[in-house]
Amino acid sequence: MTRPHVVPEDFPRESSPGLVSGRQPKLLVRETNGRYYAGITDEELWIRYDACEDLAGQLADYGLRKMSGSGLSFDAALGRVEKGLRARVASGQWDFSRDEVAWMMKRAGELLSGTVNSDRARNAGV
């Protein structure tokens, strides 16, 4: 039995932006498997979340390497991670919304903080 995909409540659920010219109001929809959708499907939401969660983990690992290798503070390492993420999104290398970037930075901070705290506890003999 497969477990259903669960997307956290704090993950952005924005619909795809669209613009259609004309005088009459229009509803922007698309057809997928014979059904019409005004936003993204549950599967598309899961795919976006999964990609963001994976990248947040990679960003936290990168931040940890910066902290241990370069001696950067937590905030400085997280700032460097955010700068790189925003640069790649701005250049078009990565396709994430502003809200997804904010979510990934929050999540990367949580993951990095958890790793740093567990390392400190392990080093203190707790």
Side-chain angles (χ1 to χ4, degrees):
M1 180 163 83
T2 15
R3 205 178 77 155
H5 299 306
V6 178
V7 177
E9 288 300 317
D10 69 335
F11 187 76
R13 286 167 166 73
E14 58 198 28
S15 60
S16 302
L19 184 63
V20 180
S21 64
R23 300 183 87 194
Q24 297 293 322
K26 294 168 183 67
L27 178 62
L28 200 59
V29 297
R30 60 193 165 85
E31 183 183 7
T32 304
N33 296 328
R35 297 195 64 182
Y36 291 97
Y37 294 93
I40 62 174
T41 64
D42 289 343
E43 185 64 24
E44 290 167 329
L45 179 64
W46 167 255
I47 290 168
R48 302 273 324 159
Y49 162 71
D50 192 44
C52 289
E53 177 68 23
D54 181 59
L55 185 54
Q58 293 178 48
L59 294 172
D61 288 345
Y62 175 75
L64 186 61
R65 285 194 309 273
K66 286 295 173 191
M67 288 174 65
S68 40
S70 305
L72 291 177
S73 69
F74 177 86
D75 290 334
L78 208 53
R80 191 165 293 183
V81 166
E82 184 171 11
K83 183 179 177 184
L85 173 60
R86 290 190 185 281
R88 283 183 174 78
V89 170
S91 71
Q93 288 177 323
W94 293 347
D95 182 27
F96 295 105
S97 72
R98 188 176 315 157
D99 289 341
E100 288 170 336
V101 168
W103 185 88
M104 281 188 286
M105 287 309 304
K106 177 180 167 260
R107 182 68 178 133
E110 292 169 353
L111 294 169
L112 183 57
S113 177
T115 302
V116 169
N117 290 337
S118 68
D119 283 350
R120 285 182 184 149
R122 192 172 30 253
N123 291 338
V126 174

